[in-house]
Amino acid sequence: MRLGKFGLEGVAPPKIELFACLVDRIGIFEAMDKMSTLEYINQMFPTEASLSGVEPLMQKIQSEIRRVDAGILAAVRQQSNSGTKAKEDLATATHAVEELTYKIREIKTKAEQSEIMVQEICRDIKKLDFAKKHITTTITALHRLTMLVSAVEQLQIMASKRQYKEAAAQLEAVNQLCSHFEAYRDIPKITELREKFKNIKQILKSHVFSDFSSLGTGKESEETNLLQHLSDACLVVDALEPSVREELVNNFCSRELTSYEQIFEGAELAKLDKSERRYAWIKRRMRTNEEIWKIFPTSWLVPYRLCIQFCKKTRKQLEGILDNMKEKPDVATLLMALQRTLEFEDELAEKFGAGTQSREIGNEIEQIGRQSNSQSASDIRKKYEKKLAAHQVSENEEKDGNKDLSAPGAGFNFHGIISSCFEPHLTVYTELEEKTLMENLEKLLQEETWDVEEGSQNNVLSSSMQLFLIIKRSLKRCSALTKSQTLYNLFKVFQRVLKAYATKLFARLPKGGTGIVAAATGMDGQIKTSDRDERVICYIVNSAEYCHKTSGELAESVAKIIDTQYADQVDMSEVQDEFSAVITKSLVTLVQGLETKFDAEMAAMTRVPWGTLESVGDQSGYVNGINMILSSSIPALGSLLSPIYFQFFLDKLASSVGPRFFMNIFKCKQISETGAQQMLLDTQAVKTILLEIPSLGRQTSGAAGYSKFVSREMSKAEALLKVILSPVDSVADTYRALLPEGTPMEFQRILELKGLKKSDQQSILDDFNKGSPTISQPSGAAAPGSQAMPQAPSATTVQVMSNPASAGYIASREDVLTRAAALGRGAATTGFKRFLALTEAAKDRKDGPFRKLFNA
């Protein structure tokens, strides 16, 4: 509906205009989006009947306009009144701020006037206070100066009379008085007094040194008061500078050791075998003069300092003796002198509390070679607590490195202060240890029976355990003497000895045949092993494993004992690699020995007339032979080898027997269908025998993986026999499907095994070469863990092929696999009788996979 279309035409135009103006005025159309006034009116009055509501709406709108106008007027009035009141409030606030500013200014002025008044009142009081302070300081200084002058004069008298006890107390007083005049050093009187005091101290020092020179000359027994007099002199020395005490102690120690140098620098006692007398001399000297040396204050540490100087002088003299030797020193004499030196150092360390050698060294060495396959949580916790404690001790030693080394227990270590001079000359000792260890090794190998006692739990050769016992004793001897370069050199000796032992174990393994006879008989490189040889090989494996583990423990113990600068170089990885090589070679030798035992059975397999067999019977004789060989060897091997090495042996055996059996089929002459069926039965029997080896050895921990590997390896032989069983016209497709990694040469050999003539073979070979790409990879097996599963045949390999010249049927890939499964299922599951029944039934049927197998 639009304006003017219906009843609005009868409404007077002024009313319409008034209505529109009213609507615009109250802002109704502001809420509309792009909508005109007329459109709104048309929406409000869409029909002619709705025009009756125009008048009421206009009245309502006018009423709303009046209400809005009244509200606007009231708001304007209220705003006008609020503005007037705000101006009045602002004027009032401004007046209050001005009054407050005036009052603050007035207060500040009065405060300044009060301050000036107070300063004028207190000016005279400050002057009097400063005057009092200066007078008091002057009086105190004059009084102290008087005391200082008097004390210096008294000290001079005491020094001249050598009244040490009184002089010591007077020295303390003068020192304290002098400290008060540090600020007056430039005053002549003070300078004069300080110079006089310095001269008095020098006099006291010379008197004390002169009196101490008589100590040790025998005058102390003649003059009863001499010791007391010297004891008082020590008080004077303490009151003097610390350098005076150091000088006095050093002079006393040097004087005490003068006779020592004179005695032991002579030709008679300047020998290595007289070292013990040196230590006896100082111990006797300290014991004899113990009462006399009590005159020294305990804090002076005179015996401690005397021993340090004695050790330094002794070290210098011993170095001269060792360096001037024309020949290598006698080992016994050298070790005796070193032993006595170490004992003396231990005594000094214990006496002066500088620490003792670790008591845990022996325990660390004793742990070497102990059977500790399982550790409790407490053992592991204790182990790491020890490591943490040792780490904390080393950190504390580093923090304390700047302490005074002259104080007992403050970081000075008597260990090595003399004995370290022997270190460069202990080469003869390590050479003797190496010679002794090598001789003991030869003796142990000569006495080795290569057998273990019945009931032994670890099945380890006695020579292995005895060798490590000898090494432990050698390590104990050396660690008691030194923990530096010599111990590291001895560790190198241990490495050479253990490598030599590994070489001996390696040499004891059975060797293959060599020479012209072996080559002529085909036995070159083959290893023959008896039951005893197999046990010996197992003992060698266990012994090498024991040596591998124990050599690691030996390295850990040496690293804990030896000096930190050598600890990082202690490593037995090369030795452990040697024993690992022995273990690997031993297990491979076991496998090679069994392979040699299989030679006769494998040869017997090739001599069976597979091409002329008339019927299929039980498993062949060579299978029984293989079973007998494994039944006689595996139980002993399983009882002697650890699970991990027995599993390694099984994997090696499976990787050897499976491919060898596969290749041995190619060595046979012609194989008929009956022969292939019999051989397939034998293959299943061999596979079953191999799968039962873990149970036979009573170690089934890794049997699942081993079973998969055996099945995969033996399945290749089964596939080969299925190819041989397949019809001639489908043999190529069967070969591609079951042996995708096979080579053309192997395929040609299969045709020869089937008894085909050369002329018949050529056409099949041509079709085979046209139908598939040349494969160069052999079908041999890889080792466990490294063999890849055969890839699926390509489409070109298994596609349906048709030959126009031939009326025969060539099967698809599914047909080939169905036939192959049928060929192997009977022998693998329900026995060969079931297989024969299925094939006979298939001949009577007109369709189905078995019918195709015979009619293709």
Side-chain angles (χ1 to χ4, degrees):
M1 179 179 178
R2 292 291 179 265
L3 183 63
K5 189 176 182 180
F6 292 105
L8 286 180
E9 294 178 354
V11 181
K15 287 188 177 182
I16 296 174
E17 294 176 359
L18 177 62
F19 178 76
C21 292
L22 290 175
V23 171
D24 286 337
R25 185 174 181 182
I26 63 176
I28 292 176
F29 292 100
E30 289 179 1
M32 304 297 180
D33 185 15
K34 297 181 180 180
M35 185 176 293
S36 65
T37 305
L38 293 178
E39 289 176 347
Y40 180 73
I41 293 173
N42 290 332
Q43 288 180 2
M44 293 293 294
F45 305 101
T47 62
E48 185 177 357
S50 61
L51 294 177
S52 60
V54 172
E55 291 296 335
L57 179 60
M58 290 179 61
Q59 293 176 3
K60 182 179 179 181
I61 292 174
Q62 289 176 353
S63 175
E64 182 68 21
I65 290 173
R66 287 193 296 272
R67 187 183 65 78
V68 172
D69 288 343
I72 292 172
L73 182 61
V76 170
R77 289 175 181 174
Q78 184 179 358
Q79 181 65 29
S80 177
N81 294 335
S82 298
T84 304
K85 186 177 180 181
K87 290 180 180 179
E88 293 176 355
D89 293 341
L90 180 60
T92 304
T94 303
H95 180 69
V97 170
E98 290 176 352
E99 289 183 354
L100 180 61
T101 303
Y102 174 76
K103 290 181 180 179
I104 292 173
R105 192 181 299 112
E106 186 179 10
I107 292 171
K108 184 177 180 181
T109 304
K110 291 181 179 180
E112 291 175 352
Q113 294 174 355
S114 300
E115 183 180 1
I116 294 171
M117 186 181 300
V118 170
Q119 288 178 353
E120 291 177 354
I121 294 172
C122 297
R123 185 178 297 130
D124 297 334
I125 297 176
K126 283 184 178 180
K127 290 180 180 179
L128 293 174
D129 185 59
F130 285 137
K132 180 183 176 182
K133 183 178 180 181
H134 292 159
I135 291 173
T136 304
T137 303
T138 304
I139 293 172
T140 303
L142 290 174
H143 180 65
R144 287 175 177 171
L145 180 61
T146 303
M147 293 175 61
L148 178 61
V149 172
S150 174
V152 170
E153 291 178 353
Q154 292 177 12
L155 182 61
Q156 188 175 15
I157 296 172
M158 294 174 185
S160 61
K161 295 182 179 180
R162 301 194 177 188
Q163 297 175 350
Y164 295 134
K165 188 173 184 180
E166 294 79 5
Q170 197 69 10
L171 272 171
E172 294 288 345
V174 174
N175 283 327
Q176 291 182 6
L177 289 171
C178 285
S179 64
H180 294 293
F181 293 95
E182 285 294 329
Y184 309 105
R185 297 174 66 94
D186 297 335
I187 298 175
K189 182 62 177 177
I190 301 300
T191 304
E192 180 184 349
L193 285 174
R194 292 176 67 86
E195 190 65 29
K196 186 176 182 180
F197 179 53
K198 182 179 179 181
N199 294 333
I200 293 172
K201 291 195 291 185
Q202 191 63 34
I203 292 171
L204 282 172
K205 176 183 175 181
S206 61
H207 288 344
V208 168
F209 277 57
S210 175
D211 291 344
F212 267 99
S213 62
S214 62
L215 185 63
T217 59
K219 290 185 179 181
E220 58 271 10
S221 59
E222 299 175 0
E223 301 179 13
T224 56
N225 295 329
L226 178 61
L227 294 180
Q228 182 61 43
H229 186 65
L230 294 177
S231 179
D232 295 341
C234 293
L235 300 177
V236 173
V237 174
D238 274 336
L240 295 173
E241 289 80 6
S243 59
V244 177
R245 182 184 63 191
E246 293 292 329
E247 184 179 354
L248 177 63
V249 173
N250 290 335
N251 289 344
F252 169 76
C253 294
S254 299
R255 191 169 59 252
E256 284 290 323
L257 296 176
T258 301
S259 59
Y260 167 74
E261 292 179 342
Q262 295 173 351
I263 293 173
F264 288 95
E265 282 183 352
E268 182 180 353
L269 295 178
K271 296 179 180 178
L272 202 59
D273 56 353
K274 305 296 183 182
S275 301
E276 188 175 2
R277 298 183 63 176
R278 297 172 179 269
Y279 311 132
W281 181 90
I282 187 64
K283 288 188 283 188
R284 183 171 60 253
R285 189 75 175 176
M286 293 175 65
R287 187 169 55 252
T288 303
N289 297 328
E290 184 177 5
E291 292 297 327
I292 298 176
W293 292 350
K294 286 183 178 180
I295 62 173
F296 298 107
T298 307
S299 60
W300 285 20
L301 309 172
V302 173
Y304 176 77
R305 295 170 182 269
L306 178 64
C307 289
I308 291 177
Q309 288 201 19
F310 169 81
C311 292
K312 292 179 178 179
K313 291 181 180 295
T314 302
R315 175 191 172 89
K316 185 177 180 180
Q317 291 185 357
L318 290 178
E319 283 179 344
I321 294 173
L322 291 169
D323 292 339
N324 294 329
M325 284 186 173
K326 297 180 180 180
E327 299 179 355
K328 289 185 178 181
D330 179 65
V331 178
T333 304
L334 183 67
L335 294 183
M336 180 60 69
L338 178 57
Q339 183 65 34
R340 296 294 177 261
T341 302
L342 292 170
E343 292 173 357
F344 176 68
E345 290 175 351
D346 288 339
E347 291 179 11
L348 294 181
E350 187 175 356
K351 179 178 178 65
F352 296 111
T356 58
Q357 288 181 327
S358 174
R359 303 291 183 183
E360 297 182 357
I361 293 177
N363 295 333
E364 293 289 348
I365 297 175
E366 286 299 330
Q367 294 299 322
I368 299 173
R370 291 191 174 182
Q371 296 295 329
S372 56
N373 295 330
S374 60
Q375 291 182 328
S376 63
S378 60
D379 294 336
I380 297 175
R381 184 176 64 254
K382 290 178 181 178
K383 174 182 176 181
Y384 283 96
E385 284 177 352
K386 289 180 180 179
K387 289 185 178 181
L388 179 60
H391 180 67
Q392 291 175 348
V393 169
S394 63
E395 287 184 349
N396 293 335
E397 289 178 353
E398 291 179 0
K399 292 179 181 179
D400 298 340
N402 296 326
K403 288 186 177 180
D404 182 13
L405 299 182
S406 62
F412 187 85
N413 190 0
F414 279 102
H415 294 298
I417 188 173
I418 304 175
S419 58
S420 58
C421 71
F422 289 88
E423 194 70 37
H425 305 276
L426 288 175
T427 307
V428 292
Y429 164 67
T430 55
E431 291 174 353
L432 179 62
E433 284 285 359
E434 183 171 7
K435 179 182 178 182
T436 304
L437 287 171
M438 288 298 184
E439 290 175 352
N440 286 327
L441 176 59
E442 292 296 331
K443 184 179 179 181
L444 288 173
L445 291 172
Q446 291 175 3
E447 297 175 353
E448 181 61 71
T449 61
W450 302 101
D451 201 351
V452 297
E453 297 180 1
E454 192 171 345
S456 177
Q457 294 182 352
N458 51 15
N459 294 319
V460 176
L461 295 173
S462 61
S463 58
S464 301
M465 294 182 287
Q466 291 297 325
L467 177 61
F468 276 99
L469 288 176
I470 295 171
I471 289 176
K472 282 164 55 176
R473 287 197 291 267
S474 176
L475 179 59
K476 276 187 177 181
R477 287 194 299 269
C478 185
S479 61
L481 299 175
T482 175
K483 299 175 185 62
S484 190
Q485 180 68 44
T486 302
L487 181 57
Y488 180 70
N489 293 340
L490 184 64
F491 175 75
K492 290 291 187 181
V493 171
F494 293 158
Q495 287 181 322
R496 292 193 289 272
V497 171
L498 291 172
K499 286 181 180 179
Y501 183 64
T503 303
K504 297 293 185 182
L505 292 179
F506 195 91
R508 181 59 181 80
L509 294 173
K511 301 294 188 297
T514 57
I516 299 177
V517 176
T521 56
M523 301 296 290
D524 188 14
Q526 291 185 341
I527 299 176
K528 290 186 177 182
T529 56
S530 62
D531 292 343
R532 171 172 169 74
D533 290 335
E534 291 176 351
R535 290 198 304 273
V536 170
I537 293 173
C538 292
Y539 297 149
I540 291 176
V541 170
N542 294 334
S543 300
E545 180 185 13
Y546 170 80
C547 293
H548 182 283
K549 174 186 175 184
T550 311
S551 59
E553 295 174 356
L554 174 64
E556 291 179 2
S557 298
V558 173
K560 294 176 182 177
I561 297 170
I562 202 168
D563 291 345
T564 54
Q565 58 182 333
Y566 298 101
D568 294 338
Q569 305 177 39
V570 175
D571 184 24
M572 274 286 187
S573 58
E574 292 184 4
V575 175
Q576 291 178 318
D577 291 343
E578 293 281 343
F579 286 112
S580 296
V582 172
I583 294 172
T584 303
K585 178 60 179 176
S586 301
L587 295 174
V588 171
T589 302
L590 272 180
V591 175
Q592 291 175 344
L594 283 176
E595 285 181 350
T596 303
K597 292 182 179 181
F598 292 153
D599 286 347
E601 310 306 327
M602 291 297 175
M605 175 183 173
T606 59
R607 290 195 296 268
V608 174
W610 301 107
T612 58
L613 283 181
E614 298 179 355
S615 62
V616 178
D618 293 334
Q619 61 189 28
S620 302
Y622 71 90
V623 178
N624 296 329
I626 293 174
N627 188 25
M628 289 179 61
I629 292 171
L630 294 176
S631 298
S632 63
S633 299
I634 296 301
L637 300 182
S639 63
L640 294 177
L641 293 176
S642 62
I644 183 172
Y645 293 124
F646 185 72
Q647 183 63 39
F648 180 83
F649 163 76
L650 292 183
D651 292 341
K652 288 291 184 182
L653 182 62
S655 64
S656 170
V657 175
R660 186 178 183 187
F661 191 87
F662 176 84
M663 298 306 297
N664 207 55
I665 296 176
F666 287 103
K667 295 180 181 180
C668 297
K669 298 180 180 180
Q670 182 178 349
I671 303 176
S672 64
E673 182 177 348
T674 305
Q677 294 170 357
Q678 178 64 50
M679 193 178 292
L680 187 61
L681 178 65
D682 294 343
T683 303
Q684 292 293 331
V686 172
K687 177 180 177 181
T688 303
I689 293 171
L690 293 177
L691 292 175
E692 291 177 352
I693 288 180
S695 300
L696 195 61
R698 297 181 180 178
Q699 293 195 23
T700 58
S701 57
Y706 167 76
S707 299
K708 291 180 181 179
F709 185 66
V710 169
S711 300
R712 186 168 67 247
E713 292 299 324
M714 294 305 296
S715 65
K716 296 178 182 179
E718 295 173 354
L720 176 59
L721 293 172
K722 292 173 184 178
V723 173
I724 296 173
L725 277 171
S726 63
V728 175
D729 53 359
S730 62
V731 65
D733 294 318
T734 307
Y735 181 74
R736 293 191 195 98
L738 298 182
L739 295 173
E741 296 181 355
T743 64
M745 186 177 297
E746 290 178 351
F747 180 67
Q748 184 177 0
R749 178 57 184 156
I750 291 174
L751 297 180
E752 294 174 357
L753 291 175
K754 289 179 70 66
L756 296 178
K757 297 179 180 180
K758 292 291 184 179
S759 58
D760 298 333
Q761 292 181 18
Q762 190 60 42
S763 61
I764 299 176
L765 286 173
D766 292 341
D767 294 340
F768 175 77
N769 292 329
K770 292 178 182 178
S772 63
T774 303
I775 303 174
S776 59
Q777 293 181 352
S779 58
S786 63
Q787 178 176 346
M789 292 296 292
Q791 296 181 355
S794 63
T796 58
T797 304
V798 297
Q799 64 182 350
V800 178
M801 301 174 60
S802 62
N803 187 355
S806 174
Y809 170 77
I810 299 178
S812 65
R813 179 176 183 272
E814 290 75 11
D815 292 332
V816 172
L817 293 178
T818 303
R819 297 177 193 179
L823 285 171
R825 189 180 299 117
T829 56
T830 60
F832 202 73
K833 293 181 179 179
R834 174 63 175 165
F835 172 73
L836 293 177
L838 288 172
T839 54
E840 291 298 328
K843 291 180 181 180
D844 299 330
R845 297 184 59 182
K846 296 181 179 180
D847 55 358
F850 276 91
R851 183 68 267 169
K852 294 178 183 179
L853 179 64
F854 291 98
N855 295 337

